[in-house]
Amino acid sequence: MKISFIWDSFPDLVSRVKKLIHMFSKTCQYAIKAVIYIHKQSLEGKKVGAKEIGQEIDAPDAFTAKILQVLVRQHVVGSFKGPTGGFFVDKSHESKTLKDVVLAIDGDQLFQGCSLGLNQCSEENPCPLHFEIKNVRTKIINMLTIKSLKQLAEEVGDGTTVLARLA
Amino acid sequence: MKISFIWDSFPDLVSRVKKLIHMFSKTCQYAIKAVIYIHKQSLEGKKVGAKEIGQEIDAPDAFTAKILQVLVRQHVVGSFKGPTGGFFVDKSHESKTLKDVVLAIDGDQLFQGCSLGLNQCSEENPCPLHFEIKNVRTKIINMLTIKSLKQLAEEVGDGTTVLARLA
DNA sequence: ATCATAAAGGATAAAATTATCCTTTATTAT
DNA sequence: ATAATAAAGGATAATTTTATCCTTTATGAT
C-alpha cells in the first residue's frame, strides 16, 4: 500500500523546489553519474546492471537503461547481454571524458550556436553576449575535458561512499 | 487555407534541428531579447506593446506577454495599461543586468546547487565537478553583470537592424 | 537444447515547458 | 460617462522531456 504525502498534492510546487540545477539536462546528469559509477566498478573488474546503476545514482532504472543504450551506441561505455552481462569500460574507453558524455546525451547545444538563439549571430555580427559566452564555453569545455572519466572515478571515494556521493 | 509542408510530418526531427542552444531556457532567451529591445526603445522615449515586442524578437506574442508579466513583477521593467500604455524602463531600471533577467525567469538554477544534482555535494564533500563548476559560474555571473542592460541596448545597432539582431 | 539472465528496443504515460486564447482590469481619449 | 486600448490573469492546448512497462534478442549456465 502506497503511502501518500501532502506534497503529492502539489506536484508543480515540489518540482520547482527540486529543480535547483541546470546547465546539463537531468538526463545528462544521470548519464554522468552512471558513467562514473560504471568506471568505478570497472576499476574493480565488475560489470554492473542497469537496475543496480539506477539505484546507486538515484535515477529510475528503466530510464537509466535508455540512457545507457545511447551511451553504448556512442561508444562511451560497453555492454554485454545475458547472465554475467552488464555495463563496463575497458582500455578502449580510458580516454573518454565528460565532454563525450554530454555530447552523446545533450548534443552540442552547450558548445555551439548563439546562447540567445539568434539567427544572425556570428563573429562579424555578434549578439550582446557573443564573446562573453565564447569565454564561458572555453571554461566549460576545459572543465569537461581536463580529466578522463577514469581519473574522475578514481577520485570518488571508496565503495561504501559511492552511493552518498552519486545520489 | 493552411499550406502544409513536408517537415510538418516530422515535428520531432524539426525541433531537434532547431534546438542548438542551451544554458538559458528558451523562455529566458525570449526574456533577454525582450528586455534589450525595451531598453532600446526607451532610449528613444518610446513605450512598446507586447505584440510589437514579440514580433521584433521572433517570439509568440501571447507567450511574450506572459514573460513580460513576470519581468514587471520582478521590477526588471515597468508597464502601463491602457492606450499609450506599454512596457518601458526608466531611471529605476538603469542598473539592472542580465543576471536580474535570468534570476527572474529561470531562478537561481544556473548559479546554485550541484550541477550533477547530487544531494551531498558541498565544499567539504565535493562532487567530481564541484570546483570546476564554481569557476565556470564565476565566469557566467561576470558575463551577466559586467554591463547593465542599458549599456547592452546601446551597443545593439540602430533601429533598422534591431530586428535582424534580436530575431 | 533449454532455461535463466540482462541488454535492446518499441509503445505508452506522466510531468514540465512552451504556446494560445479569452476574459478582466486599468487607463486614456473622446 | 463611454468607448477604445493595452496589460494582467485564468484556462487550456501543444510540444518536449522524463519515466514506465512490456516484448525481443543475445549470451551464458545447466
Side-chain angles (χ1 to χ4, degrees):
Chain A
M1 166 241 194
K2 192 181 178 312
I3 299 170
S4 80
F5 295 92
I6 175 70
W7 53 77
D8 289 344
S9 317
F10 305 95
D12 55 327
L13 183 64
V14 170
S15 78
R16 261 170 217 294
V17 173
K18 278 188 183 168
K19 156 194 100 158
L20 284 169
I21 340 132
H22 226 53
M23 177 169 313
F24 307 121
S25 71
K26 206 170 175 188
T27 304
C28 191
Q29 292 177 23
Y30 290 157
I32 292 173
K33 294 197 269 183
V35 167
I36 291 180
Y37 182 71
I38 293 169
H39 268 269
K40 264 197 69 60
Q41 296 311 110
S42 280
L43 286 176
E44 306 174 20
K46 296 180 198 155
K47 286 209 230 24
V48 283
K51 196 185 251 178
E52 174 185 343
I53 297 174
Q55 280 157 4
E56 290 291 326
I57 69 175
D58 197 29
D61 5 338
F63 191 52
T64 303
K66 287 290 183 204
I67 297 170
L68 289 167
Q69 283 179 28
V70 176
L71 293 174
V72 169
R73 260 186 255 125
Q74 304 289 318
H75 308 101
V76 177
V77 298
S79 71
F80 267 114
K81 286 184 178 179
T84 79
F87 297 91
F88 66 93
V89 288
D90 58 25
K91 288 274 176 201
S92 76
H93 306 104
E94 248 175 14
S95 63
K96 295 286 178 186
T97 66
L98 284 172
K99 190 183 178 192
D100 297 308
V101 179
V102 174
L103 279 173
I105 302 296
D106 279 349
D108 56 7
Q109 324 167 343
L110 191 57
F111 313 112
Q112 286 218 30
C114 174
S115 278
L116 296 186
L118 305 188
N119 295 318
Q120 312 285 339
C121 179
S122 67
E123 294 286 297
E124 297 75 38
N125 190 26
C127 78
L129 289 183
H130 191 85
F131 297 108
E132 299 292 341
I133 283 277
K134 209 173 159 183
N135 231 315
V136 168
R137 279 180 170 154
T138 303
K139 270 239 160 258
I140 292 178
I141 291 173
N142 188 54
M143 162 181 93
L144 296 178
T145 52
I146 197 164
K147 286 176 187 167
S148 69
L149 292 169
K150 195 184 176 196
Q151 286 175 297
L152 288 172
E154 284 163 351
E155 288 175 15
V156 179
D158 61 31
T160 58
T161 63
V162 167
L163 197 145
R165 294 294 300 284
L166 290 180
Chain B
M1 167 243 193
K2 191 180 180 311
I3 300 170
S4 79
F5 294 92
I6 177 68
W7 52 78
D8 290 342
S9 317
F10 306 97
D12 54 327
L13 182 64
V14 171
S15 78
R16 263 171 216 292
V17 172
K18 279 188 183 167
K19 159 194 98 159
L20 283 168
I21 339 132
H22 227 53
M23 176 166 315
F24 307 122
S25 70
K26 206 170 174 188
T27 304
C28 192
Q29 293 177 23
Y30 289 158
I32 292 173
K33 294 197 270 181
V35 167
I36 291 180
Y37 182 71
I38 293 170
H39 267 270
K40 264 198 69 61
Q41 296 311 109
S42 280
L43 285 176
E44 306 175 19
K46 295 182 199 155
K47 289 210 231 18
V48 281
K51 195 186 251 178
E52 175 185 343
I53 297 173
Q55 281 159 1
E56 290 292 325
I57 69 175
D58 197 27
D61 2 339
F63 192 53
T64 304
K66 288 288 184 207
I67 296 170
L68 289 167
Q69 283 178 27
V70 176
L71 294 173
V72 169
R73 261 187 254 126
Q74 305 288 318
H75 307 102
V76 177
V77 298
S79 71
F80 269 114
K81 287 184 178 179
T84 78
F87 299 91
F88 66 94
V89 288
D90 59 24
K91 288 273 177 202
S92 76
H93 306 104
E94 246 176 14
S95 64
K96 296 286 179 186
T97 65
L98 283 172
K99 190 183 179 192
D100 297 306
V101 179
V102 174
L103 279 173
I105 302 297
D106 278 349
D108 56 7
Q109 322 167 345
L110 192 58
F111 314 112
Q112 285 218 31
C114 175
S115 278
L116 295 184
L118 305 187
N119 295 317
Q120 314 283 340
C121 179
S122 67
E123 294 287 297
E124 297 75 38
N125 190 26
C127 79
L129 288 184
H130 191 85
F131 298 108
E132 300 291 342
I133 282 279
K134 211 174 156 181
N135 232 316
V136 169
R137 278 181 170 149
T138 303
K139 270 242 161 253
I140 292 178
I141 291 172
N142 186 55
M143 163 180 93
L144 297 178
T145 52
I146 198 164
K147 286 177 188 167
S148 70
L149 293 170
K150 196 186 174 194
Q151 286 175 297
L152 288 172
E154 284 164 352
E155 287 177 15
V156 180
D158 61 34
T160 56
T161 64
V162 166
L163 198 145
R165 292 296 299 283
L166 291 178

